Amino acid sequence: MSYQSSIPIFWRLKKGKYNLIGTKCQTCDFVYFPPRNSCQTCGKENLVEKKLSEKGKILTYTVIYVGPEGFETPYCIGIIELDEGVMISGQIVGNLELIDTDKEVQMVFRKIYETEDGLINYGFKFEIIE
């Protein structure tokens, strides 16, 4: 009897799909997301995988009132500075009235969109810590 792994199980087993995985240079300690093979700062290639903290603060944001077809509006997109200093863009969820720069956020795993065939695509978003 042969066992086949389903596509959803394959993706659940991938670390980078459900976690913020970056790289850290062992020479100068600079952290990157997405992961890199060489350090842009010192030029070395001795980077190691690093799970990022998933917490940070909002540097800037914009609220989208007229979005692409299939997206529920309004929604907010922002630039988040993670605790390690890495900047990442992502959707900010929660009470839109609380959104402001320097607000603390936590990464959450949520539905991004659903295809016409009913396939649900998930990814990370950032939720305001109240």
Side-chain angles (χ1 to χ4, degrees):
M1 175 183 276
S2 77
Y3 292 96
Q4 291 185 331
S5 179
S6 71
I7 290 173
I9 289 172
F10 170 79
W11 284 109
R12 278 197 294 268
L13 297 175
K14 290 187 71 73
K15 285 187 280 185
K17 184 73 175 168
Y18 296 95
N19 297 291
L20 289 177
I21 304 292
T23 50
K24 180 178 180 178
C25 179
Q26 292 182 305
T27 303
C28 68
D29 290 332
F30 202 86
V31 179
Y32 294 95
F33 182 83
R36 298 179 57 100
N37 292 324
S38 62
C39 182
Q40 183 177 325
T41 305
C42 69
K44 304 290 183 185
E45 293 184 1
N46 59 341
L47 282 81
V48 293
E49 192 175 87
K50 175 173 179 48
K51 183 177 182 304
L52 302 176
S53 69
E54 302 175 358
K55 288 188 177 182
K57 66 178 180 176
I58 300 170
L59 293 180
T60 188
Y61 67 94
T62 187
V63 178
I64 310 296
Y65 292 97
V66 180
E69 186 176 326
F71 284 81
E72 222 175 279
T73 56
Y75 63 92
C76 182
I77 301 293
I79 304 293
I80 310 300
E81 182 178 22
L82 299 177
D83 290 347
E84 293 86 358
V86 174
M87 287 183 270
I88 183 171
S89 64
Q91 184 176 354
I92 302 168
V93 296
N95 185 349
L96 291 181
E97 294 176 9
L98 296 177
I99 293 175
D100 202 357
T101 54
D102 289 330
K103 284 277 189 175
E104 302 249 337
V105 291
Q106 166 76 44
M107 187 196 88
V108 293
F109 197 74
R110 300 273 173 81
K111 175 181 168 181
I112 303 288
Y113 65 92
E114 188 171 343
T115 65
E116 290 179 8
D117 328 4
L119 181 64
I120 299 173
N121 290 278
Y122 294 91
F124 58 83
K125 298 182 180 187
F126 293 91
E127 187 170 51
I128 296 172
I129 300 172
E130 294 183 42

mmCIF file of all heavy atoms in Angstrom, residues 2-14 18 119:
data_model
loop_
_atom_site.group_PDB
_atom_site.id
_atom_site.type_symbol
_atom_site.label_atom_id
_atom_site.label_comp_id
_atom_site.label_asym_id
_atom_site.label_seq_id
_atom_site.Cartn_x
_atom_site.Cartn_y
_atom_site.Cartn_z
ATOM 1 N N SER A 2 0.603 2.174 -0.874
ATOM 2 C CA SER A 2 1.404 3.399 -0.899
ATOM 3 C C SER A 2 0.589 4.536 -0.279
ATOM 4 O O SER A 2 -0.619 4.597 -0.420
ATOM 5 C CB SER A 2 1.817 3.753 -2.320
ATOM 6 O OG SER A 2 0.748 4.321 -3.008
ATOM 7 N N TYR A 3 1.301 5.400 0.397
ATOM 8 C CA TYR A 3 0.658 6.547 1.023
ATOM 9 C C TYR A 3 1.090 7.795 0.276
ATOM 10 O O TYR A 3 2.261 7.977 -0.011
ATOM 11 C CB TYR A 3 1.068 6.664 2.497
ATOM 12 C CG TYR A 3 0.520 5.542 3.332
ATOM 13 C CD1 TYR A 3 1.283 4.429 3.612
ATOM 14 C CD2 TYR A 3 -0.768 5.605 3.822
ATOM 15 C CE1 TYR A 3 0.792 3.397 4.372
ATOM 16 C CE2 TYR A 3 -1.278 4.583 4.582
ATOM 17 C CZ TYR A 3 -0.494 3.477 4.863
ATOM 18 O OH TYR A 3 -1.006 2.463 5.612
ATOM 19 N N GLN A 4 0.163 8.637 -0.030
ATOM 20 C CA GLN A 4 0.490 9.889 -0.686
ATOM 21 C C GLN A 4 0.155 11.031 0.266
ATOM 22 O O GLN A 4 -0.851 10.987 0.966
ATOM 23 C CB GLN A 4 -0.305 10.049 -1.974
ATOM 24 C CG GLN A 4 0.133 9.082 -3.041
ATOM 25 C CD GLN A 4 -0.582 9.353 -4.348
ATOM 26 O OE1 GLN A 4 -1.702 9.844 -4.355
ATOM 27 N NE2 GLN A 4 0.073 9.027 -5.439
ATOM 28 N N SER A 5 0.990 12.005 0.244
ATOM 29 C CA SER A 5 0.777 13.180 1.068
ATOM 30 C C SER A 5 -0.093 14.170 0.291
ATOM 31 O O SER A 5 0.135 14.401 -0.883
ATOM 32 C CB SER A 5 2.131 13.810 1.396
ATOM 33 O OG SER A 5 1.960 14.958 2.167
ATOM 34 N N SER A 6 -1.084 14.716 0.950
ATOM 35 C CA SER A 6 -1.930 15.692 0.272
ATOM 36 C C SER A 6 -1.215 17.035 0.196
ATOM 37 O O SER A 6 -0.306 17.317 0.968
ATOM 38 C CB SER A 6 -3.257 15.855 1.009
ATOM 39 O OG SER A 6 -3.058 16.524 2.226
ATOM 40 N N ILE A 7 -1.648 17.858 -0.735
ATOM 41 C CA ILE A 7 -1.050 19.184 -0.885
ATOM 42 C C ILE A 7 -1.217 20.007 0.398
ATOM 43 O O ILE A 7 -0.266 20.628 0.852
ATOM 44 C CB ILE A 7 -1.619 19.904 -2.120
ATOM 45 C CG1 ILE A 7 -1.100 19.196 -3.371
ATOM 46 C CG2 ILE A 7 -1.223 21.374 -2.135
ATOM 47 C CD1 ILE A 7 -1.699 19.676 -4.663
ATOM 48 N N PRO A 8 -2.413 20.026 1.056
ATOM 49 C CA PRO A 8 -2.521 20.807 2.290
ATOM 50 C C PRO A 8 -1.538 20.353 3.370
ATOM 51 O O PRO A 8 -0.957 21.179 4.062
ATOM 52 C CB PRO A 8 -3.960 20.583 2.731
ATOM 53 C CG PRO A 8 -4.699 20.274 1.478
ATOM 54 C CD PRO A 8 -3.707 19.501 0.637
ATOM 55 N N ILE A 9 -1.320 19.043 3.496
ATOM 56 C CA ILE A 9 -0.364 18.558 4.497
ATOM 57 C C ILE A 9 1.042 19.024 4.138
ATOM 58 O O ILE A 9 1.800 19.462 4.993
ATOM 59 C CB ILE A 9 -0.433 17.025 4.623
ATOM 60 C CG1 ILE A 9 -1.732 16.619 5.312
ATOM 61 C CG2 ILE A 9 0.771 16.490 5.401
ATOM 62 C CD1 ILE A 9 -2.003 15.133 5.314
ATOM 63 N N PHE A 10 1.395 18.965 2.859
ATOM 64 C CA PHE A 10 2.707 19.415 2.410
ATOM 65 C C PHE A 10 2.956 20.850 2.854
ATOM 66 O O PHE A 10 4.003 21.181 3.395
ATOM 67 C CB PHE A 10 2.804 19.290 0.882
ATOM 68 C CG PHE A 10 4.029 19.945 0.309
ATOM 69 C CD1 PHE A 10 5.263 19.319 0.369
ATOM 70 C CD2 PHE A 10 3.948 21.200 -0.286
ATOM 71 C CE1 PHE A 10 6.393 19.925 -0.160
ATOM 72 C CE2 PHE A 10 5.073 21.803 -0.814
ATOM 73 C CZ PHE A 10 6.301 21.163 -0.749
ATOM 74 N N TRP A 11 1.986 21.744 2.620
ATOM 75 C CA TRP A 11 2.170 23.148 2.976
ATOM 76 C C TRP A 11 2.167 23.366 4.477
ATOM 77 O O TRP A 11 2.866 24.227 4.985
ATOM 78 C CB TRP A 11 1.125 24.027 2.293
ATOM 79 C CG TRP A 11 1.469 24.214 0.856
ATOM 80 C CD1 TRP A 11 0.831 23.678 -0.221
ATOM 81 C CD2 TRP A 11 2.569 24.956 0.333
ATOM 82 N NE1 TRP A 11 1.472 24.035 -1.385
ATOM 83 C CE2 TRP A 11 2.540 24.824 -1.074
ATOM 84 C CE3 TRP A 11 3.585 25.705 0.899
ATOM 85 C CZ2 TRP A 11 3.468 25.416 -1.898
ATOM 86 C CZ3 TRP A 11 4.515 26.308 0.067
ATOM 87 C CH2 TRP A 11 4.450 26.160 -1.304
ATOM 88 N N ARG A 12 1.376 22.570 5.230
ATOM 89 C CA ARG A 12 1.380 22.711 6.689
ATOM 90 C C ARG A 12 2.739 22.350 7.275
ATOM 91 O O ARG A 12 3.110 22.844 8.328
ATOM 92 C CB ARG A 12 0.293 21.840 7.312
ATOM 93 C CG ARG A 12 -1.072 22.490 7.277
ATOM 94 C CD ARG A 12 -2.013 21.812 8.244
ATOM 95 N NE ARG A 12 -2.297 20.451 7.872
ATOM 96 C CZ ARG A 12 -3.315 20.056 7.115
ATOM 97 N NH1 ARG A 12 -4.152 20.935 6.656
ATOM 98 N NH2 ARG A 12 -3.490 18.792 6.826
ATOM 99 N N LEU A 13 3.478 21.466 6.591
ATOM 100 C CA LEU A 13 4.774 21.047 7.092
ATOM 101 C C LEU A 13 5.893 22.027 6.747
ATOM 102 O O LEU A 13 6.989 21.907 7.258
ATOM 103 C CB LEU A 13 5.107 19.650 6.545
ATOM 104 C CG LEU A 13 4.157 18.549 6.995
ATOM 105 C CD1 LEU A 13 4.506 17.231 6.301
ATOM 106 C CD2 LEU A 13 4.159 18.379 8.499
ATOM 107 N N LYS A 14 5.628 22.987 5.899
ATOM 108 C CA LYS A 14 6.641 23.972 5.530
ATOM 109 C C LYS A 14 6.710 25.057 6.601
ATOM 110 O O LYS A 14 5.742 25.756 6.852
ATOM 111 C CB LYS A 14 6.333 24.588 4.171
ATOM 112 C CG LYS A 14 6.529 23.606 3.029
ATOM 113 C CD LYS A 14 6.384 24.268 1.698
ATOM 114 C CE LYS A 14 7.482 25.180 1.349
ATOM 115 N NZ LYS A 14 8.760 24.652 0.977
ATOM 116 N N TYR A 18 3.833 29.105 7.748
ATOM 117 C CA TYR A 18 3.054 29.472 8.932
ATOM 118 C C TYR A 18 3.841 30.275 9.953
ATOM 119 O O TYR A 18 3.340 30.597 11.006
ATOM 120 C CB TYR A 18 2.501 28.203 9.600
ATOM 121 C CG TYR A 18 1.541 27.484 8.689
ATOM 122 C CD1 TYR A 18 1.953 26.442 7.885
ATOM 123 C CD2 TYR A 18 0.214 27.879 8.617
ATOM 124 C CE1 TYR A 18 1.072 25.793 7.030
ATOM 125 C CE2 TYR A 18 -0.674 27.245 7.768
ATOM 126 C CZ TYR A 18 -0.230 26.203 6.978
ATOM 127 O OH TYR A 18 -1.100 25.578 6.130
ATOM 128 N N LEU A 119 -11.223 27.209 -3.120
ATOM 129 C CA LEU A 119 -9.934 27.002 -2.465
ATOM 130 C C LEU A 119 -9.604 28.231 -1.624
ATOM 131 O O LEU A 119 -9.555 29.350 -2.137
ATOM 132 C CB LEU A 119 -8.842 26.764 -3.504
ATOM 133 C CG LEU A 119 -7.438 26.514 -2.974
ATOM 134 C CD1 LEU A 119 -7.391 25.230 -2.164
ATOM 135 C CD2 LEU A 119 -6.450 26.441 -4.124
#
